[in-house]
Amino acid sequence: MTRSNTLGGIRLPSLALLRRAVSRPSGALAGGWLLLVIAGAVLGPILSPYAYDAQVLKEAFSSPSAAHLLGTDEFGRDLLTRLLQGARTSLTVSSISILISVLAGLTIGAAAGYFGGLFDRIVTAVVDLSWSFPEILIALILVAIIGPGVSGTMAAIAVAYLAQFARLARAQIMTLKGETYVEAARSLGAGHSHLLFRHLIPNALAPVLVSAMLATGDAIILEATLGFFGLGAQPPMPSWGSMMSSGSALLFKAPWIIIFPGLAVASTVIAINLFGDGLIAALDIRDPRRSET
């Protein structure tokens, strides 16, 4: 018997979701690129013969060559090594931030949607208020309060996207809590925690996880923006945003310093969005008539 998972009320066999997501050429291409970026972030700094912070001033502004495939920066540091290390920084910060935001938003939104009342009204008011501000503005304010650096960036991004997941989780729980199976479980004596964690939250996960996948791409852009302003990872730790910041003043002297990190951000975000579209198609969230497989 095939083991199955329940997502958003849809039962899918193990790995079937990923198989469906990559069944389209765009999904397969995006998934392959994301795996390549993750592998580069994990293994690149180990495989590279250079240290990301090793300065060789006599090789500064070297154009791409056999010795330095992507060239060097203003301090003679190997750009490919720093690009891979920057991938580790940017992906780690963005992924952890969105994970924290999802967990917090799912908990708050699920509790508000399930219990309702004054708590729901307070949560809704706070969420709607924060929803009215752009994420970049919230992140800039929080980084200014917390201070620049990786920890401050992660906290800022997590709070910036909290309202999105809380609002989505609340809407899902409010829709699901009136379902027949929930009423049946309640009539059999199931408590609030059992209903929330065994029935409601697992069946509300699908749209939240897809939204988290897409939000990760936005978080990468936000992290790069903060890094570009010097508010993200601090030197000598590279990130894609800080690399673009240092290369912006050298666009006409050494354009590769800004072009390659910019391409890394753009291609990774596009791949995340394409793969997210593949997940949406795989889950078929918009079609309630979808049959079980």
Side-chain angles (χ1 to χ4, degrees), residues 61 72-74 228 243-263:
F61 303 117
T72 63
D73 63 8
E74 67 272 26
F228 188 87
M243 292 174 68
M244 287 190 291
S245 178
S246 64
S248 61
L250 304 167
L251 179 60
F252 297 103
K253 184 175 183 179
W256 54 87
I257 298 178
I258 187 174
I259 288 176
F260 289 123
L263 288 175

Side-chain angles (χ1 to χ4, degrees), residues 161-244:
Y161 288 95
L162 180 61
Q164 172 179 330
F165 299 115
R167 188 173 186 172
L168 180 58
R170 174 182 176 273
Q172 289 295 309
I173 295 299
M174 291 187 69
T175 301
L176 293 171
K177 70 179 183 179
E179 293 289 332
T180 304
Y181 67 90
V182 177
E183 295 295 335
R186 185 181 290 114
S187 66
L188 292 174
H192 296 313
S193 60
H194 181 87
L195 290 174
L196 272 171
F197 294 105
R198 293 295 299 275
H199 297 287
L200 293 175
I201 290 180
N203 285 298
L205 275 179
V208 175
L209 293 179
V210 173
S211 179
M213 177 75 185
L214 298 175
T216 302
D218 295 336
I220 290 175
I221 295 177
L222 183 53
E223 188 276 336
T225 303
L226 294 175
F228 188 87
F229 291 138
L231 300 174
Q234 298 300 295
M237 178 65 68
S239 71
W240 288 339
S242 62
M243 292 174 68
M244 287 190 291

